Tab-separated table of all heavy atoms in Angstrom:
chain	number	residue	atom	x	y	z
A	151	ALA	N	-0.437	-6.965	-0.217
A	151	ALA	CA	-0.374	-7.908	-1.333
A	151	ALA	C	0.075	-9.290	-0.869
A	151	ALA	O	-0.509	-10.315	-1.269
A	151	ALA	CB	0.569	-7.371	-2.408
A	168	LEU	N	-7.693	-13.895	-10.975
A	168	LEU	CA	-8.106	-12.606	-11.521
A	168	LEU	C	-7.777	-11.525	-10.499
A	168	LEU	O	-8.261	-11.555	-9.367
A	168	LEU	CB	-9.603	-12.596	-11.819
A	168	LEU	CG	-10.209	-11.260	-12.289
A	168	LEU	CD1	-9.573	-10.810	-13.609
A	168	LEU	CD2	-11.721	-11.377	-12.432
A	169	VAL	N	-6.936	-10.564	-10.901
A	169	VAL	CA	-6.569	-9.436	-10.047
A	169	VAL	C	-7.371	-8.233	-10.519
A	169	VAL	O	-7.112	-7.686	-11.594
A	169	VAL	CB	-5.060	-9.138	-10.126
A	169	VAL	CG1	-4.704	-7.954	-9.213
A	169	VAL	CG2	-4.245	-10.368	-9.737
A	170	ASN	N	-8.356	-7.836	-9.738
A	170	ASN	CA	-9.215	-6.715	-10.114
A	170	ASN	C	-8.649	-5.431	-9.513
A	170	ASN	O	-8.708	-5.215	-8.308
A	170	ASN	CB	-10.636	-6.941	-9.611
A	170	ASN	CG	-11.613	-5.932	-10.196
A	170	ASN	OD1	-11.561	-5.656	-11.397
A	170	ASN	ND2	-12.502	-5.393	-9.383
A	171	GLY	N	-8.078	-4.590	-10.387
A	171	GLY	CA	-7.453	-3.348	-9.927
A	171	GLY	C	-5.946	-3.455	-9.884
A	171	GLY	O	-5.299	-2.985	-8.951
A	172	ALA	N	-5.368	-4.060	-10.920
A	172	ALA	CA	-3.923	-4.318	-10.931
A	172	ALA	C	-3.087	-3.070	-11.152
A	172	ALA	O	-1.884	-3.079	-10.902
A	172	ALA	CB	-3.588	-5.351	-12.000
A	173	GLY	N	-3.705	-1.984	-11.605
A	173	GLY	CA	-2.936	-0.788	-11.901
A	173	GLY	C	-2.596	0.055	-10.686
A	173	GLY	O	-1.816	1.001	-10.781
A	174	GLY	N	-3.155	-0.273	-9.531
A	174	GLY	CA	-2.881	0.486	-8.318
A	174	GLY	C	-1.605	0.043	-7.630
A	174	GLY	O	-0.925	-0.892	-8.075
A	175	GLY	N	-1.301	0.702	-6.518
A	175	GLY	CA	-0.069	0.398	-5.802
A	175	GLY	C	-0.035	-1.015	-5.265
A	175	GLY	O	0.987	-1.707	-5.363
A	176	VAL	N	-1.130	-1.481	-4.683
A	176	VAL	CA	-1.194	-2.854	-4.197
A	176	VAL	C	-1.228	-3.825	-5.374
A	176	VAL	O	-0.602	-4.890	-5.352
A	176	VAL	CB	-2.419	-3.061	-3.291
A	176	VAL	CG1	-2.534	-4.518	-2.856
A	176	VAL	CG2	-2.338	-2.157	-2.059
A	177	GLY	N	-1.938	-3.449	-6.427
A	177	GLY	CA	-2.115	-4.334	-7.564
A	177	GLY	C	-0.825	-4.765	-8.225
A	177	GLY	O	-0.693	-5.913	-8.661
A	178	GLY	N	0.132	-3.861	-8.291
A	178	GLY	CA	1.406	-4.216	-8.890
A	178	GLY	C	2.118	-5.322	-8.132
A	178	GLY	O	2.697	-6.247	-8.726
A	179	PHE	N	2.061	-5.252	-6.808
A	179	PHE	CA	2.688	-6.295	-5.996
A	179	PHE	C	1.880	-7.592	-6.045
A	179	PHE	O	2.447	-8.684	-6.092
A	179	PHE	CB	2.831	-5.822	-4.544
A	179	PHE	CG	3.837	-4.724	-4.354
A	179	PHE	CD1	3.474	-3.531	-3.744
A	179	PHE	CD2	5.145	-4.869	-4.769
A	179	PHE	CE1	4.389	-2.511	-3.559
A	179	PHE	CE2	6.082	-3.860	-4.591
A	179	PHE	CZ	5.703	-2.670	-3.988
A	180	VAL	N	0.552	-7.491	-6.024
A	180	VAL	CA	-0.289	-8.689	-6.104
A	180	VAL	C	-0.017	-9.435	-7.406
A	180	VAL	O	0.138	-10.665	-7.418
A	180	VAL	CB	-1.780	-8.320	-5.985
A	180	VAL	CG1	-2.656	-9.496	-6.398
A	180	VAL	CG2	-2.121	-7.904	-4.562
A	181	THR	N	0.036	-8.717	-8.513
A	181	THR	CA	0.279	-9.344	-9.809
A	181	THR	C	1.601	-10.099	-9.808
A	181	THR	O	1.686	-11.250	-10.263
A	181	THR	CB	0.273	-8.271	-10.915
A	181	THR	OG1	-1.008	-7.640	-10.951
A	181	THR	CG2	0.576	-8.881	-12.273
A	191	VAL	N	-2.113	-15.346	-14.283
A	191	VAL	CA	-2.633	-14.086	-13.759
A	191	VAL	C	-3.356	-13.311	-14.849
A	191	VAL	O	-2.760	-12.930	-15.863
A	191	VAL	CB	-1.502	-13.221	-13.161
A	191	VAL	CG1	-2.064	-11.913	-12.599
A	191	VAL	CG2	-0.770	-13.991	-12.065
A	192	ILE	N	-4.645	-13.080	-14.629
A	192	ILE	CA	-5.443	-12.196	-15.477
A	192	ILE	C	-5.690	-10.943	-14.659
A	192	ILE	O	-6.118	-11.019	-13.505
A	192	ILE	CB	-6.780	-12.833	-15.889
A	192	ILE	CG1	-6.536	-14.155	-16.618
A	192	ILE	CG2	-7.579	-11.882	-16.758
A	192	ILE	CD1	-6.755	-15.365	-15.754
A	193	ALA	N	-5.393	-9.785	-15.212
A	193	ALA	CA	-5.463	-8.538	-14.456
A	193	ALA	C	-6.372	-7.539	-15.143
A	193	ALA	O	-6.392	-7.458	-16.374
A	193	ALA	CB	-4.062	-7.936	-14.310
A	194	THR	N	-7.129	-6.780	-14.359
A	194	THR	CA	-7.888	-5.672	-14.927
A	194	THR	C	-7.119	-4.381	-14.682
A	194	THR	O	-6.535	-4.178	-13.622
A	194	THR	CB	-9.290	-5.552	-14.307
A	194	THR	OG1	-9.202	-5.046	-12.971
A	194	THR	CG2	-9.997	-6.890	-14.315
A	195	ALA	N	-7.132	-3.504	-15.678
A	195	ALA	CA	-6.438	-2.224	-15.576
A	195	ALA	C	-6.974	-1.309	-16.663
A	195	ALA	O	-7.560	-1.756	-17.645
A	195	ALA	CB	-4.925	-2.403	-15.733
A	196	SER	N	-6.736	-0.018	-16.482
A	196	SER	CA	-7.104	0.943	-17.516
A	196	SER	C	-6.013	0.959	-18.582
A	196	SER	O	-4.897	0.465	-18.356
A	196	SER	CB	-7.254	2.337	-16.905
A	196	SER	OG	-6.002	2.797	-16.429
A	199	SER	N	-2.444	1.951	-17.653
A	199	SER	CA	-1.671	1.063	-16.781
A	199	SER	C	-1.320	-0.264	-17.435
A	199	SER	O	-0.588	-1.058	-16.854
A	199	SER	CB	-2.456	0.791	-15.490
A	199	SER	OG	-2.711	1.972	-14.772
A	203	VAL	N	1.368	-3.183	-16.056
A	203	VAL	CA	0.852	-4.440	-15.523
A	203	VAL	C	1.431	-5.633	-16.286
A	203	VAL	O	1.747	-6.679	-15.694
A	203	VAL	CB	-0.690	-4.440	-15.556
A	203	VAL	CG1	-1.246	-5.796	-15.149
A	203	VAL	CG2	-1.234	-3.360	-14.623
A	206	GLN	N	4.795	-6.331	-15.066
A	206	GLN	CA	4.772	-6.970	-13.753
A	206	GLN	C	4.397	-8.441	-13.826
A	206	GLN	O	4.339	-9.110	-12.793
A	206	GLN	CB	3.804	-6.203	-12.838
A	206	GLN	CG	4.357	-4.836	-12.438
A	206	GLN	CD	3.294	-3.855	-12.004
A	206	GLN	OE1	2.095	-4.112	-12.146
A	206	GLN	NE2	3.720	-2.714	-11.489
A	210	GLN	N	-2.572	-11.832	-18.958
A	210	GLN	CA	-3.610	-11.179	-19.750
A	210	GLN	C	-4.060	-9.937	-18.995
A	210	GLN	O	-4.188	-9.962	-17.772
A	210	GLN	CB	-4.807	-12.111	-19.958
A	210	GLN	CG	-5.968	-11.480	-20.726
A	210	GLN	CD	-7.186	-12.386	-20.781
A	210	GLN	OE1	-7.128	-13.541	-20.352
A	210	GLN	NE2	-8.293	-11.880	-21.297
A	211	VAL	N	-4.286	-8.846	-19.732
A	211	VAL	CA	-4.807	-7.625	-19.129
A	211	VAL	C	-6.143	-7.302	-19.767
A	211	VAL	O	-6.266	-7.250	-20.999
A	211	VAL	CB	-3.835	-6.435	-19.297
A	211	VAL	CG1	-4.446	-5.168	-18.698
A	211	VAL	CG2	-2.504	-6.736	-18.618
A	212	ILE	N	-7.156	-7.102	-18.945
A	212	ILE	CA	-8.494	-6.751	-19.401
A	212	ILE	C	-8.727	-5.274	-19.132
A	212	ILE	O	-8.557	-4.806	-18.001
A	212	ILE	CB	-9.555	-7.594	-18.680
A	212	ILE	CG1	-9.386	-9.068	-19.029
A	212	ILE	CG2	-10.968	-7.116	-19.037
A	212	ILE	CD1	-10.297	-9.991	-18.228
A	213	ASP	N	-9.108	-4.549	-20.152
A	213	ASP	CA	-9.432	-3.126	-20.018
A	213	ASP	C	-10.829	-3.008	-19.428
A	213	ASP	O	-11.829	-3.211	-20.120
A	213	ASP	CB	-9.352	-2.447	-21.389
A	213	ASP	CG	-9.757	-0.981	-21.344
A	213	ASP	OD1	-9.985	-0.441	-20.235
A	213	ASP	OD2	-9.849	-0.366	-22.422
A	214	TYR	N	-10.892	-2.688	-18.148
A	214	TYR	CA	-12.207	-2.636	-17.485
A	214	TYR	C	-13.038	-1.448	-17.951
A	214	TYR	O	-14.245	-1.401	-17.695
A	214	TYR	CB	-12.037	-2.598	-15.967
A	214	TYR	CG	-11.408	-1.334	-15.424
A	214	TYR	CD1	-12.177	-0.206	-15.165
A	214	TYR	CD2	-10.040	-1.273	-15.164
A	214	TYR	CE1	-11.599	0.958	-14.671
A	214	TYR	CE2	-9.457	-0.122	-14.671
A	214	TYR	CZ	-10.237	0.991	-14.420
A	214	TYR	OH	-9.664	2.140	-13.947
A	219	VAL	N	-16.030	-7.074	-17.356
A	219	VAL	CA	-14.825	-7.902	-17.276
A	219	VAL	C	-15.118	-9.326	-17.732
A	219	VAL	O	-14.321	-9.950	-18.443
A	219	VAL	CB	-14.276	-7.893	-15.831
A	219	VAL	CG1	-13.130	-8.895	-15.686
A	219	VAL	CG2	-13.821	-6.491	-15.449
A	230	LEU	N	-10.339	-14.813	-7.092
A	230	LEU	CA	-10.510	-13.401	-7.424
A	230	LEU	C	-9.923	-12.574	-6.295
A	230	LEU	O	-10.316	-12.722	-5.134
A	230	LEU	CB	-11.988	-13.056	-7.599
A	230	LEU	CG	-12.347	-11.559	-7.606
A	230	LEU	CD1	-11.729	-10.854	-8.809
A	230	LEU	CD2	-13.857	-11.365	-7.582
A	231	LEU	N	-8.962	-11.720	-6.624
A	231	LEU	CA	-8.375	-10.800	-5.658
A	231	LEU	C	-8.856	-9.401	-6.020
A	231	LEU	O	-8.433	-8.824	-7.023
A	231	LEU	CB	-6.847	-10.884	-5.701
A	231	LEU	CG	-6.265	-12.278	-5.411
A	231	LEU	CD1	-4.755	-12.283	-5.614
A	231	LEU	CD2	-6.608	-12.732	-4.000
A	232	ASN	N	-9.771	-8.861	-5.225
A	232	ASN	CA	-10.350	-7.558	-5.520
A	232	ASN	C	-9.658	-6.473	-4.715
A	232	ASN	O	-9.595	-6.535	-3.486
A	232	ASN	CB	-11.848	-7.542	-5.206
A	232	ASN	CG	-12.429	-6.161	-5.434
A	232	ASN	OD1	-12.390	-5.632	-6.550
A	232	ASN	ND2	-12.920	-5.529	-4.382
A	233	LEU	N	-9.182	-5.438	-5.411
A	233	LEU	CA	-8.390	-4.387	-4.779
A	233	LEU	C	-9.028	-3.013	-4.886
A	233	LEU	O	-8.407	-2.022	-4.502
A	233	LEU	CB	-6.993	-4.345	-5.425
A	233	LEU	CG	-6.322	-5.709	-5.625
A	233	LEU	CD1	-4.996	-5.541	-6.350
A	233	LEU	CD2	-6.128	-6.419	-4.292
A	234	VAL	N	-10.259	-2.930	-5.389
A	234	VAL	CA	-10.883	-1.627	-5.637
A	234	VAL	C	-12.258	-1.543	-4.990
A	234	VAL	O	-12.963	-2.548	-4.854
A	234	VAL	CB	-11.003	-1.348	-7.155
A	234	VAL	CG1	-9.632	-1.274	-7.803
A	234	VAL	CG2	-11.849	-2.423	-7.828
A	235	PRO	N	-12.674	-0.326	-4.592
A	235	PRO	CA	-14.044	-0.152	-4.098
A	235	PRO	C	-15.034	-0.419	-5.218
A	235	PRO	O	-14.810	-0.033	-6.366
A	235	PRO	CB	-14.074	1.323	-3.663
A	235	PRO	CG	-12.645	1.727	-3.524
A	235	PRO	CD	-11.886	0.918	-4.524
A	236	LEU	N	-16.150	-1.064	-4.874
A	236	LEU	CA	-17.140	-1.446	-5.872
A	236	LEU	C	-18.538	-1.067	-5.413
A	236	LEU	O	-18.843	-1.099	-4.222
A	236	LEU	CB	-17.102	-2.962	-6.093
A	236	LEU	CG	-15.807	-3.580	-6.629
A	236	LEU	CD1	-15.872	-5.093	-6.495
A	236	LEU	CD2	-15.574	-3.181	-8.072
A	244	LEU	N	-19.057	-9.726	-10.255
A	244	LEU	CA	-17.788	-10.444	-10.241
A	244	LEU	C	-17.929	-11.880	-9.743
A	244	LEU	O	-17.126	-12.745	-10.097
A	244	LEU	CB	-16.775	-9.697	-9.364
A	244	LEU	CG	-16.250	-8.363	-9.893
A	244	LEU	CD1	-15.327	-7.718	-8.871
A	244	LEU	CD2	-15.514	-8.547	-11.217
A	255	VAL	N	-11.086	-12.841	-2.404
A	255	VAL	CA	-10.439	-12.069	-1.347
A	255	VAL	C	-10.530	-10.604	-1.746
A	255	VAL	O	-10.119	-10.229	-2.845
A	255	VAL	CB	-8.957	-12.467	-1.170
A	255	VAL	CG1	-8.305	-11.606	-0.095
A	255	VAL	CG2	-8.834	-13.944	-0.826
A	257	ILE	N	-9.744	-6.559	-0.485
A	257	ILE	CA	-9.157	-5.630	0.474
A	257	ILE	C	-9.965	-4.339	0.522
A	257	ILE	O	-9.657	-3.451	1.314
A	257	ILE	CB	-7.692	-5.306	0.125
A	257	ILE	CG1	-7.601	-4.438	-1.141
A	257	ILE	CG2	-6.875	-6.574	-0.033
A	257	ILE	CD1	-6.246	-3.813	-1.365
A	258	ALA	N	-10.982	-4.245	-0.314
A	258	ALA	CA	-11.805	-3.031	-0.386
A	258	ALA	C	-13.242	-3.402	-0.033
A	258	ALA	O	-13.525	-3.813	1.074
A	258	ALA	CB	-11.682	-2.397	-1.769
A	320	THR	N	-3.652	9.216	-10.377
A	320	THR	CA	-2.389	8.613	-9.993
A	320	THR	C	-2.356	7.159	-10.451
A	320	THR	O	-3.389	6.530	-10.639
A	320	THR	CB	-2.166	8.665	-8.468
A	320	THR	OG1	-3.273	8.005	-7.814
A	320	THR	CG2	-2.055	10.084	-7.976
A	321	ARG	N	-1.141	6.631	-10.653
A	321	ARG	CA	-0.952	5.233	-11.030
A	321	ARG	C	0.183	4.670	-10.194
A	321	ARG	O	1.155	5.338	-9.916
A	321	ARG	CB	-0.605	5.112	-12.517
A	321	ARG	CG	-0.486	3.671	-12.995
A	321	ARG	CD	0.215	3.553	-14.336
A	321	ARG	NE	1.599	3.957	-14.280
A	321	ARG	CZ	2.582	3.202	-13.793
A	321	ARG	NH1	2.331	2.015	-13.255
A	321	ARG	NH2	3.831	3.628	-13.795
A	322	GLY	N	0.037	3.402	-9.798
A	322	GLY	CA	1.098	2.784	-9.041
A	322	GLY	C	1.334	3.495	-7.725
A	322	GLY	O	0.423	4.010	-7.107
Side-chain angles (χ1 to χ4, degrees):
L168 175 62
V169 180
N170 191 44
V176 176
F179 291 125
V180 166
T181 299
V191 181
I192 302 101
T194 73
S196 66
S199 299
V203 174
Q206 289 158 351
Q210 177 186 353
V211 178
I212 296 173
D213 177 7
Y214 67 85
V219 173
L230 165 65
L231 301 174
N232 177 61
L233 315 176
V234 297
L236 298 168
L244 290 177
V255 178
I257 70 166
T320 57
R321 184 196 66 78

